[in-house]
Amino acid sequence: KRAGEDREKQNKEFQTTVSDQRATQKLLKAALTVLQDFYGKGAAAATAFAQQEPAGPPPPAGFEEYKKNASSGGVMSMIQQIISDAKAMEAEAIRSEEDAQKAYEDFVKETNASIEAKSKDIVNKSEEKAKAEGELVETKEAKEAALLELEQLSNYNAELHQSCDFVMKNFDLRQTARDEEVEALKQA
């Protein structure tokens, strides 16, 4: 979400930069056209003015006569350079915007793939957890059943032990009584 918001801000900045550079180019081209029209028509008149003697006293000692700098391109070439710079800045902004958009799209693809993988992982782990919980319930039930059976067997063992103890304690008495009964029957 934050990446989308950041991308929107970057795109707004790009739109502003490009529109500013295009407006700058348009204004400067218009100014250049006006200057070219003015200086183009007035070139003959300017040449005539330039050949006249300068008005006023000659320059003071140590100063040379005023001349146009041969290496300077003048105002029109400076405007032309600014237009070229504005075009270059616009092209750079467009390249940067394309790179940023591609990076954003790659980020979104990676993020969506990661989210999908994590979702699948969650589903798989939920299934494993449910299976483990089911096995736990079955194991607890089996344990309770085994404990109940063990308790029943222990109780049965105690009952058997009691009856065996009774039989063992009374064995001699019963045997004596039986022998007496058998003797009595023999005598009768």
Side-chain angles (χ1 to χ4, degrees), residues 119-172:
S119 296
K120 285 181 181 178
D121 195 34
I122 288 171
V123 168
N124 290 339
K125 287 188 178 182
S126 296
E127 289 174 358
E128 289 175 12
K129 180 182 175 189
K131 185 178 176 183
E133 286 175 348
E135 290 175 358
L136 178 66
V137 168
E138 289 176 12
T139 304
K140 283 183 179 179
E141 289 174 355
K143 177 184 172 188
E144 288 178 16
L147 287 175
L148 181 64
E149 186 178 356
L150 186 62
E151 185 180 342
Q152 290 171 346
L153 288 174
S154 176
N155 290 341
Y156 182 67
N157 184 23
E159 290 173 13
L160 282 177
H161 205 311
Q162 272 184 336
S163 67
C164 284
D165 286 347
F166 178 77
V167 170
M168 291 297 286
K169 280 184 183 175
N170 297 322
F171 180 75
D172 291 335

Side-chain angles (χ1 to χ4, degrees), residues 28-145:
L28 289 174
K29 283 179 183 178
L32 187 60
T33 303
V34 169
L35 288 173
Q36 286 174 341
D37 288 347
F38 179 77
Y39 287 113
K41 291 177 186 174
T47 307
F49 285 128
Q51 292 174 357
Q52 293 177 355
E53 287 291 320
F63 288 97
E64 296 180 13
E65 192 175 316
Y66 176 75
K67 295 180 188 172
K68 185 176 178 182
N69 188 344
S71 65
S72 70
V75 172
M76 291 194 302
S77 63
M78 182 178 72
I79 291 175
Q80 191 62 45
Q81 181 60 42
I82 293 172
I83 292 171
S84 298
D85 290 347
K87 285 181 181 179
M89 189 171 187
E90 177 186 354
E92 176 61 29
I94 290 171
R95 274 194 305 277
S96 295
E97 173 66 12
E98 289 171 352
D99 291 345
Q101 183 63 29
K102 186 177 184 313
Y104 173 72
E105 288 171 1
D106 291 345
F107 174 74
V108 168
K109 284 179 187 175
E110 290 174 8
T111 302
N112 288 340
S114 175
I115 288 172
E116 188 176 328
K118 298 292 184 195
S119 296
K120 285 181 181 178
D121 195 34
I122 288 171
V123 168
N124 290 339
K125 287 188 178 182
S126 296
E127 289 174 358
E128 289 175 12
K129 180 182 175 189
K131 185 178 176 183
E133 286 175 348
E135 290 175 358
L136 178 66
V137 168
E138 289 176 12
T139 304
K140 283 183 179 179
E141 289 174 355
K143 177 184 172 188
E144 288 178 16

